[in-house]
Amino acid sequence: MQIEISGLTEFTSFDGPCVIIGNHMSMMETLLLPVMIQPLKPVTFVIKESLLTYPVFRHVMRSRDPVAVTRTNPRQDLKTVLEEGAKRLGEGTSIIVFPQTTRTTSFDPAEMTSIGVKLAKKAEVPIVPLALRTDAWMNGKYLKDFGRLNVRRKVYFAFGSALRVIGKGNEEQHRITEFIAAQLTNWNEG
């Protein structure tokens, strides 16, 4: 399987932690992103709470000291992300946020919430946009996380230039979704 990674040097362009905001396709990025980023910056995730009790992965997830949300109460989840996320960022740990409602191989900018931008603004840290295509790991027929791996399909990770939130963050949200959409278009045409 070929994996193409670009933009990792972006993490050396600023001091301290950041919020990494990207699309979410498969379990693959959950396993590979810490391996890529941890040598440059300590990192964790915002995850759904149920992953902390999930067979096999619960030990890996807990070891990352993630910010866990319920996905049943959006107001409480936002409060948790802003409080717990700001705490982790204050301790020097960067946070990966997948603000789509669920993993999907298609990308709809309207499904990207602004939770990551709000966290970066509150903590006054930069955002690193992340576009990825990890659909080589397909969803499983019976268990979503345990699908087949298509080793002939290329996997892509691209990190964009760091952004600082100015104002309400609308412009930064737009730039993140534009970056992801452009990368996916390039990879699909290539």
Side-chain angles (χ1 to χ4, degrees):
M1 172 177 292
Q2 285 187 316
I3 299 175
E4 181 181 299
I5 304 167
S6 62
L8 264 177
T9 55
E10 190 56 39
F11 292 102
T12 62
S13 71
F14 57 89
D15 292 327
C18 64
V19 176
I20 301 137
I21 301 173
N23 60 313
H24 195 17
M25 281 195 179
S26 75
M27 188 60 115
M28 185 181 288
E29 55 264 23
T30 309
L31 300 174
L32 293 182
L33 283 170
V35 174
M36 292 178 216
I37 300 168
Q38 189 71 35
L40 303 168
K41 295 192 181 291
V43 67
T44 192
F45 293 93
V46 172
I47 64 165
K48 59 184 177 183
E49 199 172 59
S50 62
L51 289 177
L52 295 175
T53 59
Y54 201 73
V56 181
F57 296 112
R58 71 175 167 248
H59 304 294
V60 174
M61 288 281 98
R62 287 179 184 199
S63 73
R64 305 255 26 112
D65 190 27
V67 175
V69 295
T70 64
R71 295 176 100 192
T72 58
N73 183 340
R75 176 170 269 145
Q76 182 58 46
D77 287 348
L78 175 61
K79 182 179 178 190
T80 299
V81 168
L82 293 179
E83 289 176 2
E84 292 297 314
K87 178 182 171 196
R88 304 292 189 295
L89 290 161
E91 294 167 350
T93 300
S94 293
I95 297 181
I96 300 168
V97 179
F98 300 120
Q100 292 169 286
T101 54
T102 189
R103 292 185 312 231
T104 179
T105 56
S106 62
F107 179 68
D108 180 357
E111 292 178 357
M112 295 281 285
T113 71
S114 60
I115 197 165
V117 173
K118 289 174 181 169
L119 173 59
K121 179 181 171 101
K122 177 179 177 160
E124 298 179 352
V125 298
I127 296 167
V128 174
L130 165 64
L132 54 85
R133 192 174 99 189
T134 61
D135 55 348
W137 187 339
M138 296 176 244
N139 286 334
K141 187 174 182 178
Y142 302 106
L143 291 172
K144 188 175 182 179
D145 295 324
F146 297 101
R148 291 185 315 114
L149 191 61
N150 182 346
V151 295
R152 285 183 243 126
R153 187 172 288 165
K154 193 170 182 179
V155 172
Y156 299 89
F157 291 89
F159 298 93
S161 299
L163 311 169
R164 293 273 178 181
V165 180
I166 299 169
K168 292 184 177 186
N170 295 338
E171 174 63 25
E172 293 77 12
Q173 180 76 10
H174 181 70
R175 288 174 60 191
I176 293 162
T177 58
E178 276 189 334
F179 174 78
I180 294 168
Q183 290 297 318
L184 290 169
T185 298
N186 285 343
W187 296 330
N188 289 333
E189 292 174 355

